[in-house]
Amino acid sequence: MVHRNRATRAAFPAASVLTIGALALTACATPSDPGGSATTGGTLIVGITADPDTLFPWKATQFQAINVLQNVYGTLTQFDAELNVVPGLAEAWEPSDDGTTLTFTLRDGVTFADGSDFDSADVVSSLEQIRLEETAAVGRASLAAVTDIEATGDLEVTLTLSAPDAALPANLAEINMAMLSSEDTEESLSVTPNGTGAFTFESRVANESLTLTRNDSYWGDAAPLDGVEFRVIPDESSIVAALQSGNVNLAVLNDPLVAETAESSGLAVAETPQLAYHALMLNSRSGELGDADVRRAIQCAIDRQEVLDTAALGEGAVTGPITSPAYRSDADARPCPTRDLDAAREYLAAAGLADGFSISTIVSQGSYATSVNEAQSLAAQLEEIGITLELEVLESGAYVDRWIAGDFEAAVALNSGRPDPDGMYGRYFTSAGNLNAVAGYSSDTLDALFAAGKSSTDPAERAGIYDDIAAELENEAVWIWLFTSFTYTATTENVSGFTPMSNGSLQFLRTVTLSS
Amino acid sequence: MRRFFAHSLTRRLLGALATLFGVSVLVFIMLRAIPGDQISAGLGTEAAALTPSQRAALEAYYGIDQPLLVQYFSWLGNLMTGNLGYSSRSQASVLELTASSLPVTMQLAIFSIILALLVGIPLGMLAASRPNSARDLLSQSVSLVGLSIPAFLLATTLLTVLAASLGFNPNGRGYATFWEDPSLNLQQMLLPSLVLGFGIAAPIIRTTRTAVLDIASNDFVRTARAKGIATRRLQFRHILRNALVPIATMTGLQFGYLLGGAVVVEQIFSLPGIGRQVLIGIQQKEYALVQSTVLIIALAFVIVNLLTDLVYRIIDPRVRAE
């Protein structure tokens, strides 16, 4: 019955022609980018998983948007690689003796990308607009203590404060406090950023790429690179494939499994501990959790290392409340440094709940990889002392809605950290803080400690105060702080000079060199 | 008969309009049933720090302070004037975004369908040529594998293996349209079309096999064979041509599915297609973007269905006569 095969045989050549054609195209593929000859700095290709959702720095909260804008805009102060506050657009600042005025001396000769000069008028206009409620700037609360902003010279600006604010210099280093030209508007900057950073905005193709070029009139050392292209590759595994084929030079990865794949394929991968922390947030204003002994029982029943090991492959470190490098809390300074089920049962008995009880926790599905696994590990551990942790696993939008409304008994959370501990927790744990409803806890002790931390300008004294704050938070078991994780910076072998930072900043793209 | 054709066309167009209206209502309601809005999607947990008046200002900015009916009809009214909405995240109109994303998905869908037909029809005919034989088992197995392997797994594996072992990864080089760089564009379409084409080939193999077996058992085939007609002619002119109607139906369905459903493959291969446009829109709660794009996909689906009907008329004279 050979004849029957002919029909099918006839179709195969067509398929083969297509396949061969495709292979021929493959063969003539020439890797044309990333570029860089020996004489130029070249263009660095950075892989990112999402398009920046805004180009306006005062409203940027998305990781990718902040990373791009940090390279384009400047701030009065800025962070060095260890997150110390160092001069930025202000070359110096001086508090008055009573700490109620702060005078900034601006750098001379700084220009915006459009060529206009940067001076005190731009600083006054920027800070005034950030303070305005209708601007809806993310950093508005950082200026809460500021009562007046005045240009006291072409290159001098004086802030008057209602009370001393030691956290202000660090808060001014966040990109949400970027200095904008007084002539620009949100509308124009959303399309064409105009900053004083090491790079200037060149072009953008929505959902595909965003390109920066070197700012030759940057006030600091000019970047060795000619430019940077942020290329949108939505999937982290696909970014690793692009690194392997040399189409992308640098990428920051979050998934430990993907980072492991990258490392085993010969890419350079640097681990950086993060300021962001994983925690079980407890709402002390609801039910049984109002009793500190109940919260302590939960603290004692949880083995943080086990949560880290089971949920995040052990990639990270157990942590206390404060992750800011200069103020970092001792992870073991708490009533139960390690898991202690007997102590946990005693606390429960003291609260009159020896038979246990149940609480529910919200868990985000999809916003970060480890959330559900953390929740399951927590539930399994609490079950052993009779506490039933009911998981309410929510899509990330639904989770955020409940989180911002403070509508939960407990929340498995990954919260961002800040280089200054006041910026990090003042808004949560002071009774007037704008996230206090979410924190679910406040006390006179904490209010007084945070006020003292804010008004002290002596670094050693401040460090002592924040140790006291961390101790208070742990002793009262306000939340259960679990662990911090890493980010992974993967680079191809021709990339050198990049310093990853624990706040996730890509500001050191300005020191990267690319060899050909 | 022409009048009859015109009549049935009118009826179909009215049906299409009703479908589109239904889709517009559904997508509008479903989007608003999802928790969160553009404010919390954009600011995340920072939205907790907004004062009530800041929130009100942002709601007015995004147009979500209006009653739902007003929102719906103003969107519909804008559609009538050709204004599909604006994406504040991308700083571009939905029309501009769609003008660049729809061709990407169309190209991907056409390539995938061609590959699927080139693999599916021959394998289906091969299977039908001797049912329950080794060759039938082989082609049925190919079909089963095609149905069982998830696209994301095949896509990630292909991408990773080829990039790591051969350094071949055109999709890592930034998307190029056919007009910008035909060679790069075709390379970028190769792997995603293979992945999607393989998945679609599976139902086409099965449909072809069933249809060919069905037609081959008809009296006219036996008669033709008795008349001594050449086997090749019998296979193509008589059996395959008659079997094409269900194959065309299946192809049309799969093509429509590809227009909206290629999102996973677009994600993995970084193709800025329309599926990804909808996905990003949903994540960011950009209502107008999602509503208008889904409506465009629905419209494309309707057009593909109409075209499939026209194809029936070409391949089957009986449909024309009806």
Side-chain angles (χ1 to χ4, degrees), chain B residues 37-243:
Chain B
D37 54 24
Q38 200 168 352
I39 301 171
S40 60
L43 291 175
T45 50
E46 285 297 329
L50 293 173
T51 63
S53 70
Q54 284 178 323
R55 176 164 270 281
L58 285 173
E59 280 175 357
Y61 175 76
Y62 291 123
I64 50 179
D65 56 335
Q66 302 290 321
L68 286 187
L69 273 180
V70 175
Q71 288 184 40
Y72 178 75
F73 283 106
S74 87
W75 169 58
L76 216 57
N78 282 333
L79 279 185
M80 301 299 164
T81 63
N83 176 2
L84 303 187
Y86 188 79
S87 160
S88 54
R89 185 186 57 82
S90 300
Q91 293 291 325
S93 72
V94 177
L95 195 62
E96 287 172 79
L97 290 173
T98 308
S100 69
S101 67
L102 187 60
V104 178
T105 303
M106 287 293 266
Q107 192 190 0
L108 180 62
I110 290 169
F111 282 19
S112 309
I113 287 289
I114 291 175
L115 277 170
L117 289 176
L118 285 177
V119 174
I121 294 181
L123 278 181
M125 290 180 74
L126 182 72
S129 66
R130 199 187 292 168
N132 303 321
S133 65
R135 66 174 75 145
D136 188 14
L137 190 70
L138 174 78
S139 87
Q140 296 265 49
S141 312
V142 171
S143 158
L144 188 66
V145 171
L147 280 177
S148 324
I149 296 188
F152 78 88
L153 187 68
L154 186 60
T156 312
T157 311
L158 268 180
L159 182 69
T160 310
V161 169
L162 289 179
S165 59
L166 300 177
F168 175 70
N169 183 8
N171 299 83
R173 290 171 61 189
Y175 178 72
T177 63
F178 185 79
W179 313 116
E180 285 164 3
D181 186 343
S183 155
L184 179 60
N185 172 270
L186 291 178
Q187 291 176 52
Q188 289 177 333
M189 287 291 170
L190 174 69
L191 294 180
S193 314
L194 278 177
V195 170
L196 288 173
F198 185 55
I200 298 166
I204 290 180
I205 292 174
R206 302 196 151 210
T207 311
T208 307
R209 180 183 181 273
T210 314
V212 167
L213 281 177
D214 185 41
I215 302 290
S217 66
N218 278 344
D219 289 346
F220 78 89
V221 175
R222 201 180 49 210
T223 311
R225 192 170 285 144
K227 270 168 56 188
I229 204 162
T231 309
R232 191 169 185 145
R233 194 177 158 82
L234 179 73
Q235 292 272 9
F236 281 95
R237 287 293 300 269
H238 296 270
I239 300 180
L240 183 59
R241 177 134 191 208
N242 278 291

Side-chain angles (χ1 to χ4, degrees), chain A residues 8 23 27 62 112 130 242 273 297 318 344 355 401 405 429 435 464 472 508:
Chain A
T8 49
L23 286 174
Q62 183 212 31
F112 286 97
I130 290 173
V318 296
D355 294 335
D401 265 13
F429 295 118
L435 294 181
E472 177 73 9
F508 285 110

Side-chain angles (χ1 to χ4, degrees), chain A residues 241-255:
Chain A
L243 283 158
Q244 286 169 335
S245 57
N247 300 119
V248 163
N249 306 116
L250 184 150
V252 178
L253 307 168
N254 287 309
D255 188 334

Side-chain angles (χ1 to χ4, degrees), chain A residues 73-118:
Chain A
Y73 284 96
T75 41
L76 286 177
T77 59
Q78 59 184 23
F79 296 117
D80 67 7
E82 280 79 44
L83 297 181
N84 300 306
V85 181
V86 295
L89 292 173
E91 56 188 12
W93 54 95
E94 192 60 44
S96 61
D97 289 340
D98 63 353
T100 55
T101 66
L102 193 57
T103 306
F104 290 88
T105 310
L106 306 182
R107 215 171 275 280
D108 196 7
V110 176
T111 54
F112 286 97
D114 66 359
S116 61
D117 289 330
F118 164 77

Side-chain angles (χ1 to χ4, degrees), chain A residues 71 116 236 370 414 422 447-448:
Chain A
N71 288 287
S116 61
E236 282 202 347
T370 54
L414 170 58
D422 182 71
D447 280 354

